[in-house]
Each structure stands twice: as C-alpha cells, then as structure tokens.
Amino acid sequence: MSNRSLEELQQRLQYRFKNPALLRIAMTHTSYANEAKVPTRHNERLEFLGDSVLSVVVADYLFHHSTRPEGELTRMRASLVSEEALFAFARTIGLGSYLRLGRGEELSGGRTRPSVVSDAFEALIAALYLDGGIETARAFILPFITEGATAAEDFKTRLQELVQERPGAQLQYTVVDEQGPDHDKTFTVEVALDGRGLARGTGRSKKAAEQQAASQALERLQAGAPHPETS
C-alpha cells in the first residue's frame, strides 16, 4: 500500500492516525508478509483484537437500543458480526482496494474474497482502538451496526401488519434522493400510505433506507398522528 493510498484511506475514514503503522499493519495480509524480503507484520493479531472490540460495541448498542429478550439479542449480534455483514460493511468504504496482498492472493481475487476483506475490517477496528481508544472505534462501528440492527428489526413487516388493519390501504417505497459516488452512496427513501408521504429514511443501501423510513412511519402512526388521507 503506497503512502498515497494510506492517506486516501485515512481521508475516507475521516480519521488521521497518530501511529500510521497501525493502519499499514491492519491492511497487510499474511500472504504479503510471507513474500516480503524483510520481516513484515501482518494483520492476524489485530484481527483477533478487533473481533473482541466489535463484539463489545455491538452488544452494548443492542442492550441500550433494543427491548428484545436475550436470545434474540444474541442472534442479532451474531448476524451483525458475521463474515457476510462485515464484508458488506467493508465494501461500503472500498476496503479491499487498500489491502497489501501477496502475488498469489492478488491473482486469485483476494481483494474481493469475503474472508480476507472481513478479517481486514476487524483488523482496522483494532487499529482504530489502539490508536484512538474505544470511543474512536465505536464512532467508526456505529454507523454500520445501527443500519444493520435497524434492518434486523424488520420495521417494514411491522408497518405492513399495522397498515393491513385498514382494508385496502397501500404502502409504497420510493427512492427520492441519492448522494455520493457509486462505492459510497447514501439513499433517501420515502414511504407513502395510500399515495401520500408518511415518512422518510436514509441509509447506505436502499433496504436500510426503507427500514428507517418504516421505523419513522411506525413511530408516527403509533403516536396517533393523523392518517395522510385525513391530515
């Protein structure tokens, strides 16, 4: 990873490392270290630490932001820290393009391999934790897991069930705005009830934005806000 790439990644993270070597190690795969002509540290130890930091932050968030019982919280946490979820999180910041890989790993598609990229994401969390403390790591993690937790709550289904109590009522979700480059888009979605806007939500994916819009609509309807037809 060049100095320029290191700088670009810090800009994307909106965080400047006091010890940039931590970031370099986090982005170094074992294949690169094995092929290096001089001793080179790789990211496996950071991955170990990052996994624990991530688990604590996710558990703390779910404990304070969900009323679900312990068993359901455990399943939600497992979903949010899964390889699939971490790979999706990492892709939103283009993390694979910053990895230092050995030649063989590079040629075999390591930059888009879920196991490689998700491990690097955990190593990055550890690097942020070691450089800036738990609050720095938490600030990085929360935007990802809040969207994931919102999706796990499935507000769309709950809203649909509520609306079904009104015979003939129809819900429609529409993307009303897109911001940012293709690799880092933010979507705004409006949910309409019987053709009239009820609430809006934003997210890094259309699904996340729809879930947030549904969450806002549920709060409005459950608080007794007028139906769009009668407001």
Side-chain angles (χ1 to χ4, degrees):
M1 183 169 62
S2 68
N3 289 332
R4 181 184 178 191
S5 293
L6 188 68
E7 177 66 25
E8 287 177 355
L9 181 54
Q10 290 182 98
Q11 291 176 1
R12 180 162 291 185
L13 297 174
Q14 296 183 336
Y15 179 80
R16 180 163 295 280
F17 278 77
K18 296 182 285 291
N19 181 7
L22 285 169
L23 181 58
R24 185 176 297 277
I25 295 168
M27 295 298 100
T28 302
H29 188 253
T30 52
S31 61
Y32 182 95
N34 291 337
E35 294 179 13
K37 296 181 179 179
V38 296
T40 301
R41 297 174 66 182
H42 56 72
N43 63 11
E44 284 190 350
R45 281 174 55 84
L46 287 178
E47 174 201 337
F48 164 78
L49 178 60
D51 176 73
S52 296
V53 174
L54 174 65
S55 183
V56 168
V57 172
V58 171
D60 180 76
Y61 175 84
L62 293 176
F63 180 83
H64 288 99
H65 291 85
S66 177
T67 58
R68 292 191 177 197
E70 183 270 341
E72 292 187 31
L73 292 178
T74 298
R75 286 190 289 274
M76 289 178 68
R77 180 180 61 185
S79 175
L80 290 168
V81 303
S82 67
E83 179 181 289
E84 180 182 4
L86 300 186
F87 180 57
F89 298 160
R91 287 181 63 185
T92 66
I93 58 173
L95 195 63
S97 63
Y98 296 98
L99 296 179
R100 296 203 297 175
L101 303 174
R103 179 174 174 79
E105 190 67 37
E106 179 81 62
L107 294 175
S108 65
R111 292 191 187 280
T112 58
R113 196 187 312 281
S115 59
V116 172
V117 179
S118 61
D119 287 350
F121 188 81
E122 289 182 324
L124 174 58
I125 289 172
L128 289 164
Y129 169 72
L130 292 172
D131 195 74
I134 187 64
E135 292 308 320
T136 294
R138 190 192 310 275
F140 172 70
I141 295 167
L142 284 180
F144 298 105
I145 66 169
T146 52
E147 288 194 5
T150 297
E153 289 284 1
D154 198 3
F155 293 108
K156 287 182 67 177
T157 297
R158 290 167 54 186
L159 178 61
Q160 184 65 41
E161 291 172 350
L162 181 63
V163 168
Q164 284 175 347
E165 297 174 3
R166 295 178 54 89
Q170 296 290 326
L171 287 172
Q172 182 178 7
Y173 294 86
T174 305
V175 176
V176 295
D177 190 34
E178 297 182 22
Q179 298 287 336
D182 289 341
H183 67 268
D184 192 21
K185 276 189 178 296
T186 298
F187 298 89
T188 300
V189 168
E190 180 177 74
V191 57
L193 180 56
D194 296 332
R196 301 188 64 181
L198 183 60
R200 291 189 175 191
T202 60
R204 291 183 175 176
S205 68
K206 293 177 183 178
K207 288 183 178 180
E210 289 174 352
Q211 288 287 352
Q212 188 178 92
S215 173
Q216 296 297 320
L218 272 170
E219 288 186 12
R220 178 178 177 183
L221 294 177
Q222 291 172 341
H227 187 279
E229 287 184 342
T230 61
S231 61

